[in-house]
Amino acid sequence: MARDRTEGWAYFAAQGDVFEGNGTWYLTSAEAVQFAHRHPEIFTSGPAFAALASPVPLVPLAIDPPDHLRFRKVLDPMLAPRVINRMEDQLRDQVRELIAEFSGNGHCDIVADLARLYPTQVFLTLFGMPLEDRDTFIGWVETLVEQSTSETSAAPPAAVMEAAMGLFGYLQTFIEQKRANPGDDMLSAVLALDGDEAFTEPEVLGLCFLFTLAGLDTVTATIGFVMQMLANHADVRRRIVDDPTQIPAVIEEILRMELSAPVTPRVTSQEVEIGGKVIPAGATVNLVLGTANRDPRRFENPDVLDPELADRGHLTFGGGIHRCLGSHLARRELRLVVEEFLRVIPDYEIEPGFEPKIVWPSGTHHLSSLPIRFPKVAP
């Protein structure tokens, strides 16, 4: 899996469409995963994230119906394409500035110099927070994501507790500032809700916390995957350099093949039969989006990057009521990165001798590094 997701997901899929291992159930086929998406009353989200022991509600990911609808009703319009359109020029300028920092060097590390930085800047812009806080913010998030233990009985490492306290304190302070001095940003819009739509203080903090943990490292990881795939498929890269209108289709294909969050947890509320197997109530179930996206019964030549077939869809952003809230924003970030990078650096290659690997095992698939080289760009 670390070197080749094609081989890794094939191993998973070979275990069956529905199987149990070490007390956890796995749904690997597109049909099984979509069944779970269509039945959130059976495959519940809230209990699945209870093990994180978050001090605030993870809105809206860990909220089940009927409360879930209240949150999505007001949050979905705040992240609609028309809203992101208003931000595009600002976000494009930001990615241009990052690329300009290394384009004259003839080399860079895509992860460290671009993918690690840009999504956090987008988040800070979206929520009306100062970009000067980017590096501090990244430090907290990376500590929380990389050093947190999956053992619920183990005490969190001291560094994790320190990062969590720093992040929570920062978010709480900024929420108070936004209440006093609202702006034209998503956080101000959330705080302005009233009546039945109003968020409680813990809910606002939980929304910010979830965006921080679920929306930054996932986009960082995907930028790395996109740039790796374009390095490995020079023919595809040349095609979109010549015709940038094809960039969205290429991105969709890479999203299908390389998922940053390839497994989604759920807990069954009742006994359920699926794929000829009976899953008991209270069972932990992992929806394996990585195998569902390569199901040969749904996708022709599923292990081949083929932008011509990008309209076949994928499950990378989930499905049903819990479909990724920030999918439109993530797609926009990816498009802007590819457009601006290839505009300045149309030809590049992975540093000879370097073998890209994802961190494995890990809840989030991501490259730790992706050094590349290219012809120097004159200032």
Side-chain angles (χ1 to χ4, degrees):
M1 187 70 83
R3 294 177 174 83
D4 183 3
R5 264 67 66 204
T6 296
E7 184 176 346
W9 293 131
Y11 175 84
F12 258 83
Q15 312 308 307
D17 291 353
V18 180
F19 68 92
E20 184 270 336
N22 297 322
T24 297
W25 286 84
Y26 296 85
L27 309 185
T28 67
S29 70
E31 182 179 358
V33 169
Q34 288 183 307
F35 178 87
H37 285 161
R38 290 194 299 267
H39 294 280
E41 76 283 2
I42 300 175
F43 295 89
T44 61
S45 184
F49 292 94
L52 296 178
S54 172
V56 292
L58 298 177
V59 176
L61 177 64
I63 308 297
D64 288 310
D67 292 336
H68 180 269
L69 178 61
R70 175 173 73 90
F71 294 112
R72 291 297 294 244
K73 183 179 178 181
V74 297
L75 292 174
D76 283 346
M78 294 182 186
L79 287 164
R82 65 179 182 277
V83 176
I84 299 168
N85 289 343
R86 296 198 294 267
M87 301 172 58
E88 178 163 321
D89 290 345
Q90 187 177 6
L91 301 185
R92 188 183 294 276
D93 287 344
Q94 289 179 17
V95 75
R96 282 179 174 175
E97 291 170 3
L98 291 172
I99 293 169
E101 290 288 327
F102 57 74
S103 60
N105 299 335
H107 63 86
C108 75
D109 186 320
I110 286 293
V111 173
D113 298 327
L114 181 59
R116 180 174 175 264
L117 308 178
Y118 185 54
T120 296
Q121 292 191 183
V122 172
F123 167 79
L124 294 173
T125 301
L126 179 69
F127 275 59
M129 299 175 180
L131 293 184
E132 305 84 70
D133 295 338
R134 181 194 69 190
D135 292 344
T136 301
F137 217 85
I138 289 173
W140 287 327
V141 173
E142 288 182 343
T143 299
L144 289 171
V145 171
E146 295 174 7
Q147 296 190 33
S148 293
T149 175
S150 60
E151 298 294 330
T152 57
S153 60
V160 170
M161 291 299 296
E162 183 179 350
M165 292 294 290
L167 179 58
F168 271 115
Y170 176 90
L171 293 174
Q172 185 63 58
T173 298
F174 210 84
I175 288 169
E176 293 170 358
Q177 292 176 2
K178 281 291 180 184
R179 283 196 185 280
N181 298 288
D184 183 19
D185 55 77
M186 182 172 172
L187 180 55
S188 296
V190 169
L191 294 172
L193 295 170
D194 57 15
D196 293 339
E197 294 183 340
F199 283 32
T200 65
E201 284 292 321
E203 288 168 350
V204 174
L205 191 56
L207 173 69
C208 296
F209 193 63
L210 178 65
F211 259 79
T212 301
L213 294 186
L216 302 187
D217 67 317
T218 51
V219 181
T220 289
T222 306
I223 292 173
F225 289 141
V226 167
M227 301 308 291
Q228 178 191 8
M229 292 285 270
L230 291 179
N232 292 337
H233 294 80
D235 57 331
V236 174
R237 187 177 73 245
R238 293 189 197 100
R239 182 192 307 182
I240 61 178
V241 167
D242 294 338
D243 182 6
T245 65
Q246 296 188 43
I247 288 175
V250 172
I251 288 174
E252 291 305 308
E253 262 292 88
I254 298 174
L255 281 167
R256 180 185 66 80
M257 296 185 70
E258 289 283 16
L259 296 78
S260 58
V263 178
T264 305
R266 294 289 186 266
V267 172
T268 52
S269 63
Q270 63 188 63
E271 182 182 283
V272 58
E273 181 176 348
I274 180 171
K277 303 290 180 65
V278 176
I279 303 176
T284 298
V285 180
N286 281 335
L287 314 185
V288 188
L289 310 182
T291 51
N293 272 0
R294 293 177 184 241
D295 189 334
R297 290 159 293 190
R298 173 167 175 174
F299 302 102
E300 180 184 356
N301 298 322
D303 298 323
V304 176
L305 179 70
D306 188 350
E308 298 295 334
L309 299 176
D311 60 353
R312 56 189 169 181
H314 56 73
L315 299 172
T316 298
F317 291 115
I321 65 169
H322 288 291
R323 193 177 189 284
C324 177
L325 178 65
S327 61
H328 297 303
L329 180 60
R331 284 186 166 103
R332 190 66 56 93
E333 292 177 66
L334 295 170
R335 177 170 66 79
L336 293 176
V337 165
V338 174
E339 285 179 354
E340 292 305 317
F341 189 92
L342 295 184
R343 182 181 62 82
V344 179
I345 306 171
D347 294 306
Y348 68 95
E349 64 177 355
I350 296 172
E351 193 67 43
F354 181 82
E355 182 182 23
K357 298 179 185 178
I358 68 165
V359 177
W360 174 261
S362 175
T364 302
H365 286 192
H366 61 280
L367 300 169
S368 297
S369 179
L370 186 66
I372 64 168
R373 65 181 186 181
F374 48 86
K376 292 182 180 181
V377 178

mmCIF file with all atom_site columns, all heavy atoms in Angstrom, residues 77-91 125 184-185 332:
data_model
loop_
_atom_site.group_PDB
_atom_site.id
_atom_site.type_symbol
_atom_site.label_atom_id
_atom_site.label_alt_id
_atom_site.label_comp_id
_atom_site.label_asym_id
_atom_site.label_entity_id
_atom_site.label_seq_id
_atom_site.pdbx_PDB_ins_code
_atom_site.Cartn_x
_atom_site.Cartn_y
_atom_site.Cartn_z
_atom_site.occupancy
_atom_site.B_iso_or_equiv
_atom_site.pdbx_formal_charge
_atom_site.auth_seq_id
_atom_site.auth_comp_id
_atom_site.auth_asym_id
_atom_site.auth_atom_id
_atom_site.pdbx_PDB_model_num
ATOM 1   N N   . PRO A 1 77  ? -25.296 26.041 1.606   1.00 0.00 ? 77  PRO A N   1
ATOM 2   C CA  . PRO A 1 77  ? -25.269 27.266 0.788   1.00 0.00 ? 77  PRO A CA  1
ATOM 3   C C   . PRO A 1 77  ? -24.023 28.116 1.014   1.00 0.00 ? 77  PRO A C   1
ATOM 4   O O   . PRO A 1 77  ? -23.612 28.862 0.119   1.00 0.00 ? 77  PRO A O   1
ATOM 5   C CB  . PRO A 1 77  ? -26.532 28.015 1.233   1.00 0.00 ? 77  PRO A CB  1
ATOM 6   C CG  . PRO A 1 77  ? -27.427 26.958 1.803   1.00 0.00 ? 77  PRO A CG  1
ATOM 7   C CD  . PRO A 1 77  ? -26.507 25.980 2.449   1.00 0.00 ? 77  PRO A CD  1
ATOM 8   N N   . MET A 1 78  ? -23.406 28.005 2.195   1.00 0.00 ? 78  MET A N   1
ATOM 9   C CA  . MET A 1 78  ? -22.215 28.803 2.481   1.00 0.00 ? 78  MET A CA  1
ATOM 10  C C   . MET A 1 78  ? -20.998 28.320 1.718   1.00 0.00 ? 78  MET A C   1
ATOM 11  O O   . MET A 1 78  ? -19.998 29.045 1.595   1.00 0.00 ? 78  MET A O   1
ATOM 12  C CB  . MET A 1 78  ? -21.919 28.782 3.991   1.00 0.00 ? 78  MET A CB  1
ATOM 13  C CG  . MET A 1 78  ? -22.963 29.464 4.837   1.00 0.00 ? 78  MET A CG  1
ATOM 14  S SD  . MET A 1 78  ? -22.500 29.442 6.588   1.00 0.00 ? 78  MET A SD  1
ATOM 15  C CE  . MET A 1 78  ? -23.978 30.139 7.342   1.00 0.00 ? 78  MET A CE  1
ATOM 16  N N   . LEU A 1 79  ? -21.058 27.081 1.211   1.00 0.00 ? 79  LEU A N   1
ATOM 17  C CA  . LEU A 1 79  ? -19.934 26.522 0.457   1.00 0.00 ? 79  LEU A CA  1
ATOM 18  C C   . LEU A 1 79  ? -20.357 26.141 -0.959  1.00 0.00 ? 79  LEU A C   1
ATOM 19  O O   . LEU A 1 79  ? -19.742 25.288 -1.597  1.00 0.00 ? 79  LEU A O   1
ATOM 20  C CB  . LEU A 1 79  ? -19.368 25.302 1.193   1.00 0.00 ? 79  LEU A CB  1
ATOM 21  C CG  . LEU A 1 79  ? -18.586 25.652 2.456   1.00 0.00 ? 79  LEU A CG  1
ATOM 22  C CD1 . LEU A 1 79  ? -18.398 24.418 3.332   1.00 0.00 ? 79  LEU A CD1 1
ATOM 23  C CD2 . LEU A 1 79  ? -17.235 26.251 2.098   1.00 0.00 ? 79  LEU A CD2 1
ATOM 24  N N   . ALA A 1 80  ? -21.401 26.780 -1.447  1.00 0.00 ? 80  ALA A N   1
ATOM 25  C CA  . ALA A 1 80  ? -21.878 26.529 -2.805  1.00 0.00 ? 80  ALA A CA  1
ATOM 26  C C   . ALA A 1 80  ? -20.897 27.131 -3.811  1.00 0.00 ? 80  ALA A C   1
ATOM 27  O O   . ALA A 1 80  ? -20.143 28.060 -3.489  1.00 0.00 ? 80  ALA A O   1
ATOM 28  C CB  . ALA A 1 80  ? -23.266 27.142 -2.991  1.00 0.00 ? 80  ALA A CB  1
ATOM 29  N N   . PRO A 1 81  ? -20.882 26.628 -5.045  1.00 0.00 ? 81  PRO A N   1
ATOM 30  C CA  . PRO A 1 81  ? -19.961 27.160 -6.061  1.00 0.00 ? 81  PRO A CA  1
ATOM 31  C C   . PRO A 1 81  ? -20.035 28.673 -6.240  1.00 0.00 ? 81  PRO A C   1
ATOM 32  O O   . PRO A 1 81  ? -19.009 29.324 -6.437  1.00 0.00 ? 81  PRO A O   1
ATOM 33  C CB  . PRO A 1 81  ? -20.401 26.422 -7.328  1.00 0.00 ? 81  PRO A CB  1
ATOM 34  C CG  . PRO A 1 81  ? -20.931 25.111 -6.830  1.00 0.00 ? 81  PRO A CG  1
ATOM 35  C CD  . PRO A 1 81  ? -21.620 25.439 -5.538  1.00 0.00 ? 81  PRO A CD  1
ATOM 36  N N   . ARG A 1 82  ? -21.232 29.258 -6.144  1.00 0.00 ? 82  ARG A N   1
ATOM 37  C CA  . ARG A 1 82  ? -21.346 30.706 -6.355  1.00 0.00 ? 82  ARG A CA  1
ATOM 38  C C   . ARG A 1 82  ? -20.606 31.483 -5.269  1.00 0.00 ? 82  ARG A C   1
ATOM 39  O O   . ARG A 1 82  ? -20.104 32.586 -5.517  1.00 0.00 ? 82  ARG A O   1
ATOM 40  C CB  . ARG A 1 82  ? -22.816 31.122 -6.391  1.00 0.00 ? 82  ARG A CB  1
ATOM 41  C CG  . ARG A 1 82  ? -23.575 30.929 -5.086  1.00 0.00 ? 82  ARG A CG  1
ATOM 42  C CD  . ARG A 1 82  ? -25.022 31.380 -5.179  1.00 0.00 ? 82  ARG A CD  1
ATOM 43  N NE  . ARG A 1 82  ? -25.723 31.248 -3.922  1.00 0.00 ? 82  ARG A NE  1
ATOM 44  C CZ  . ARG A 1 82  ? -26.264 30.108 -3.492  1.00 0.00 ? 82  ARG A CZ  1
ATOM 45  N NH1 . ARG A 1 82  ? -26.192 29.017 -4.235  1.00 0.00 ? 82  ARG A NH1 1
ATOM 46  N NH2 . ARG A 1 82  ? -26.882 30.055 -2.325  1.00 0.00 ? 82  ARG A NH2 1
ATOM 47  N N   . VAL A 1 83  ? -20.545 30.914 -4.058  1.00 0.00 ? 83  VAL A N   1
ATOM 48  C CA  . VAL A 1 83  ? -19.802 31.562 -2.975  1.00 0.00 ? 83  VAL A CA  1
ATOM 49  C C   . VAL A 1 83  ? -18.300 31.447 -3.223  1.00 0.00 ? 83  VAL A C   1
ATOM 50  O O   . VAL A 1 83  ? -17.544 32.414 -3.063  1.00 0.00 ? 83  VAL A O   1
ATOM 51  C CB  . VAL A 1 83  ? -20.176 30.926 -1.621  1.00 0.00 ? 83  VAL A CB  1
ATOM 52  C CG1 . VAL A 1 83  ? -19.331 31.528 -0.498  1.00 0.00 ? 83  VAL A CG1 1
ATOM 53  C CG2 . VAL A 1 83  ? -21.664 31.119 -1.333  1.00 0.00 ? 83  VAL A CG2 1
ATOM 54  N N   . ILE A 1 84  ? -17.870 30.271 -3.643  1.00 0.00 ? 84  ILE A N   1
ATOM 55  C CA  . ILE A 1 84  ? -16.448 30.053 -3.911  1.00 0.00 ? 84  ILE A CA  1
ATOM 56  C C   . ILE A 1 84  ? -15.992 30.884 -5.099  1.00 0.00 ? 84  ILE A C   1
ATOM 57  O O   . ILE A 1 84  ? -14.843 31.340 -5.154  1.00 0.00 ? 84  ILE A O   1
ATOM 58  C CB  . ILE A 1 84  ? -16.195 28.549 -4.132  1.00 0.00 ? 84  ILE A CB  1
ATOM 59  C CG1 . ILE A 1 84  ? -16.592 27.772 -2.865  1.00 0.00 ? 84  ILE A CG1 1
ATOM 60  C CG2 . ILE A 1 84  ? -14.744 28.280 -4.479  1.00 0.00 ? 84  ILE A CG2 1
ATOM 61  C CD1 . ILE A 1 84  ? -16.664 26.285 -3.041  1.00 0.00 ? 84  ILE A CD1 1
ATOM 62  N N   . ASN A 1 85  ? -16.892 31.103 -6.047  1.00 0.00 ? 85  ASN A N   1
ATOM 63  C CA  . ASN A 1 85  ? -16.549 31.939 -7.207  1.00 0.00 ? 85  ASN A CA  1
ATOM 64  C C   . ASN A 1 85  ? -16.070 33.322 -6.766  1.00 0.00 ? 85  ASN A C   1
ATOM 65  O O   . ASN A 1 85  ? -15.155 33.901 -7.374  1.00 0.00 ? 85  ASN A O   1
ATOM 66  C CB  . ASN A 1 85  ? -17.763 32.104 -8.130  1.00 0.00 ? 85  ASN A CB  1
ATOM 67  C CG  . ASN A 1 85  ? -18.109 30.829 -8.879  1.00 0.00 ? 85  ASN A CG  1
ATOM 68  O OD1 . ASN A 1 85  ? -17.296 29.904 -8.972  1.00 0.00 ? 85  ASN A OD1 1
ATOM 69  N ND2 . ASN A 1 85  ? -19.320 30.767 -9.406  1.00 0.00 ? 85  ASN A ND2 1
ATOM 70  N N   . ARG A 1 86  ? -16.694 33.849 -5.725  1.00 0.00 ? 86  ARG A N   1
ATOM 71  C CA  . ARG A 1 86  ? -16.322 35.184 -5.255  1.00 0.00 ? 86  ARG A CA  1
ATOM 72  C C   . ARG A 1 86  ? -14.923 35.205 -4.635  1.00 0.00 ? 86  ARG A C   1
ATOM 73  O O   . ARG A 1 86  ? -14.295 36.261 -4.550  1.00 0.00 ? 86  ARG A O   1
ATOM 74  C CB  . ARG A 1 86  ? -17.360 35.687 -4.235  1.00 0.00 ? 86  ARG A CB  1
ATOM 75  C CG  . ARG A 1 86  ? -18.761 35.872 -4.811  1.00 0.00 ? 86  ARG A CG  1
ATOM 76  C CD  . ARG A 1 86  ? -19.605 36.748 -3.921  1.00 0.00 ? 86  ARG A CD  1
ATOM 77  N NE  . ARG A 1 86  ? -19.890 36.150 -2.631  1.00 0.00 ? 86  ARG A NE  1
ATOM 78  C CZ  . ARG A 1 86  ? -20.981 35.423 -2.352  1.00 0.00 ? 86  ARG A CZ  1
ATOM 79  N NH1 . ARG A 1 86  ? -21.889 35.211 -3.309  1.00 0.00 ? 86  ARG A NH1 1
ATOM 80  N NH2 . ARG A 1 86  ? -21.180 34.918 -1.155  1.00 0.00 ? 86  ARG A NH2 1
ATOM 81  N N   . MET A 1 87  ? -14.446 34.046 -4.213  1.00 0.00 ? 87  MET A N   1
ATOM 82  C CA  . MET A 1 87  ? -13.127 33.947 -3.592  1.00 0.00 ? 87  MET A CA  1
ATOM 83  C C   . MET A 1 87  ? -12.029 33.611 -4.589  1.00 0.00 ? 87  MET A C   1
ATOM 84  O O   . MET A 1 87  ? -10.848 33.704 -4.262  1.00 0.00 ? 87  MET A O   1
ATOM 85  C CB  . MET A 1 87  ? -13.148 32.853 -2.513  1.00 0.00 ? 87  MET A CB  1
ATOM 86  C CG  . MET A 1 87  ? -14.126 33.034 -1.391  1.00 0.00 ? 87  MET A CG  1
ATOM 87  S SD  . MET A 1 87  ? -14.175 31.552 -0.339  1.00 0.00 ? 87  MET A SD  1
ATOM 88  C CE  . MET A 1 87  ? -12.464 31.400 0.175   1.00 0.00 ? 87  MET A CE  1
ATOM 89  N N   . GLU A 1 88  ? -12.413 33.220 -5.813  1.00 0.00 ? 88  GLU A N   1
ATOM 90  C CA  . GLU A 1 88  ? -11.434 32.604 -6.714  1.00 0.00 ? 88  GLU A CA  1
ATOM 91  C C   . GLU A 1 88  ? -10.227 33.487 -7.003  1.00 0.00 ? 88  GLU A C   1
ATOM 92  O O   . GLU A 1 88  ? -9.084  33.010 -6.963  1.00 0.00 ? 88  GLU A O   1
ATOM 93  C CB  . GLU A 1 88  ? -12.093 32.170 -8.026  1.00 0.00 ? 88  GLU A CB  1
ATOM 94  C CG  . GLU A 1 88  ? -11.077 31.572 -8.992  1.00 0.00 ? 88  GLU A CG  1
ATOM 95  C CD  . GLU A 1 88  ? -11.694 30.766 -10.110 1.00 0.00 ? 88  GLU A CD  1
ATOM 96  O OE1 . GLU A 1 88  ? -12.679 30.031 -9.871  1.00 0.00 ? 88  GLU A OE1 1
ATOM 97  O OE2 . GLU A 1 88  ? -11.178 30.866 -11.228 1.00 0.00 ? 88  GLU A OE2 1
ATOM 98  N N   . ASP A 1 89  ? -10.426 34.744 -7.297  1.00 0.00 ? 89  ASP A N   1
ATOM 99  C CA  . ASP A 1 89  ? -9.289  35.606 -7.625  1.00 0.00 ? 89  ASP A CA  1
ATOM 100 C C   . ASP A 1 89  ? -8.295  35.672 -6.469  1.00 0.00 ? 89  ASP A C   1
ATOM 101 O O   . ASP A 1 89  ? -7.073  35.616 -6.672  1.00 0.00 ? 89  ASP A O   1
ATOM 102 C CB  . ASP A 1 89  ? -9.770  37.007 -7.990  1.00 0.00 ? 89  ASP A CB  1
ATOM 103 C CG  . ASP A 1 89  ? -10.493 37.043 -9.329  1.00 0.00 ? 89  ASP A CG  1
ATOM 104 O OD1 . ASP A 1 89  ? -10.377 36.069 -10.093 1.00 0.00 ? 89  ASP A OD1 1
ATOM 105 O OD2 . ASP A 1 89  ? -11.176 38.058 -9.598  1.00 0.00 ? 89  ASP A OD2 1
ATOM 106 N N   . GLN A 1 90  ? -8.821  35.779 -5.267  1.00 0.00 ? 90  GLN A N   1
ATOM 107 C CA  . GLN A 1 90  ? -7.960  35.848 -4.086  1.00 0.00 ? 90  GLN A CA  1
ATOM 108 C C   . GLN A 1 90  ? -7.196  34.541 -3.889  1.00 0.00 ? 90  GLN A C   1
ATOM 109 O O   . GLN A 1 90  ? -5.985  34.541 -3.613  1.00 0.00 ? 90  GLN A O   1
ATOM 110 C CB  . GLN A 1 90  ? -8.811  36.159 -2.847  1.00 0.00 ? 90  GLN A CB  1
ATOM 111 C CG  . GLN A 1 90  ? -8.018  36.429 -1.587  1.00 0.00 ? 90  GLN A CG  1
ATOM 112 C CD  . GLN A 1 90  ? -8.921  36.807 -0.419  1.00 0.00 ? 90  GLN A CD  1
ATOM 113 O OE1 . GLN A 1 90  ? -10.141 36.751 -0.524  1.00 0.00 ? 90  GLN A OE1 1
ATOM 114 N NE2 . GLN A 1 90  ? -8.326  37.205 0.696   1.00 0.00 ? 90  GLN A NE2 1
ATOM 115 N N   . LEU A 1 91  ? -7.882  33.419 -4.062  1.00 0.00 ? 91  LEU A N   1
ATOM 116 C CA  . LEU A 1 91  ? -7.237  32.122 -3.893  1.00 0.00 ? 91  LEU A CA  1
ATOM 117 C C   . LEU A 1 91  ? -6.229  31.860 -5.010  1.00 0.00 ? 91  LEU A C   1
ATOM 118 O O   . LEU A 1 91  ? -5.187  31.230 -4.776  1.00 0.00 ? 91  LEU A O   1
ATOM 119 C CB  . LEU A 1 91  ? -8.287  31.012 -3.853  1.00 0.00 ? 91  LEU A CB  1
ATOM 120 C CG  . LEU A 1 91  ? -9.336  31.106 -2.742  1.00 0.00 ? 91  LEU A CG  1
ATOM 121 C CD1 . LEU A 1 91  ? -10.236 29.874 -2.750  1.00 0.00 ? 91  LEU A CD1 1
ATOM 122 C CD2 . LEU A 1 91  ? -8.675  31.280 -1.379  1.00 0.00 ? 91  LEU A CD2 1
ATOM 123 N N   . THR A 1 125 ? -8.564  32.099 4.921   1.00 0.00 ? 125 THR A N   1
ATOM 124 C CA  . THR A 1 125 ? -9.300  33.073 4.108   1.00 0.00 ? 125 THR A CA  1
ATOM 125 C C   . THR A 1 125 ? -10.799 32.860 4.233   1.00 0.00 ? 125 THR A C   1
ATOM 126 O O   . THR A 1 125 ? -11.569 33.816 4.394   1.00 0.00 ? 125 THR A O   1
ATOM 127 C CB  . THR A 1 125 ? -8.874  32.955 2.628   1.00 0.00 ? 125 THR A CB  1
ATOM 128 O OG1 . THR A 1 125 ? -7.464  33.179 2.519   1.00 0.00 ? 125 THR A OG1 1
ATOM 129 C CG2 . THR A 1 125 ? -9.625  33.959 1.767   1.00 0.00 ? 125 THR A CG2 1
ATOM 130 N N   . ASP A 1 184 ? -16.985 39.639 6.157   1.00 0.00 ? 184 ASP A N   1
ATOM 131 C CA  . ASP A 1 184 ? -17.602 38.958 5.030   1.00 0.00 ? 184 ASP A CA  1
ATOM 132 C C   . ASP A 1 184 ? -16.932 37.593 4.853   1.00 0.00 ? 184 ASP A C   1
ATOM 133 O O   . ASP A 1 184 ? -16.169 37.369 3.911   1.00 0.00 ? 184 ASP A O   1
ATOM 134 C CB  . ASP A 1 184 ? -17.442 39.800 3.758   1.00 0.00 ? 184 ASP A CB  1
ATOM 135 C CG  . ASP A 1 184 ? -18.135 39.163 2.558   1.00 0.00 ? 184 ASP A CG  1
ATOM 136 O OD1 . ASP A 1 184 ? -19.015 38.298 2.774   1.00 0.00 ? 184 ASP A OD1 1
ATOM 137 O OD2 . ASP A 1 184 ? -17.782 39.504 1.415   1.00 0.00 ? 184 ASP A OD2 1
ATOM 138 N N   . ASP A 1 185 ? -17.202 36.686 5.756   1.00 0.00 ? 185 ASP A N   1
ATOM 139 C CA  . ASP A 1 185 ? -16.560 35.373 5.743   1.00 0.00 ? 185 ASP A CA  1
ATOM 140 C C   . ASP A 1 185 ? -17.526 34.339 6.314   1.00 0.00 ? 185 ASP A C   1
ATOM 141 O O   . ASP A 1 185 ? -18.576 34.680 6.863   1.00 0.00 ? 185 ASP A O   1
ATOM 142 C CB  . ASP A 1 185 ? -15.259 35.398 6.559   1.00 0.00 ? 185 ASP A CB  1
ATOM 143 C CG  . ASP A 1 185 ? -15.491 35.897 7.986   1.00 0.00 ? 185 ASP A CG  1
ATOM 144 O OD1 . ASP A 1 185 ? -15.998 35.116 8.798   1.00 0.00 ? 185 ASP A OD1 1
ATOM 145 O OD2 . ASP A 1 185 ? -15.174 37.068 8.275   1.00 0.00 ? 185 ASP A OD2 1
ATOM 146 N N   . ARG A 1 332 ? -12.048 23.280 -6.265  1.00 0.00 ? 332 ARG A N   1
ATOM 147 C CA  . ARG A 1 332 ? -11.567 24.563 -6.737  1.00 0.00 ? 332 ARG A CA  1
ATOM 148 C C   . ARG A 1 332 ? -10.087 24.752 -6.392  1.00 0.00 ? 332 ARG A C   1
ATOM 149 O O   . ARG A 1 332 ? -9.299  25.231 -7.215  1.00 0.00 ? 332 ARG A O   1
ATOM 150 C CB  . ARG A 1 332 ? -12.396 25.710 -6.138  1.00 0.00 ? 332 ARG A CB  1
ATOM 151 C CG  . ARG A 1 332 ? -12.120 27.074 -6.750  1.00 0.00 ? 332 ARG A CG  1
ATOM 152 C CD  . ARG A 1 332 ? -12.556 27.125 -8.217  1.00 0.00 ? 332 ARG A CD  1
ATOM 153 N NE  . ARG A 1 332 ? -13.949 26.761 -8.345  1.00 0.00 ? 332 ARG A NE  1
ATOM 154 C CZ  . ARG A 1 332 ? -14.955 27.638 -8.349  1.00 0.00 ? 332 ARG A CZ  1
ATOM 155 N NH1 . ARG A 1 332 ? -14.718 28.928 -8.246  1.00 0.00 ? 332 ARG A NH1 1
ATOM 156 N NH2 . ARG A 1 332 ? -16.205 27.221 -8.493  1.00 0.00 ? 332 ARG A NH2 1
#
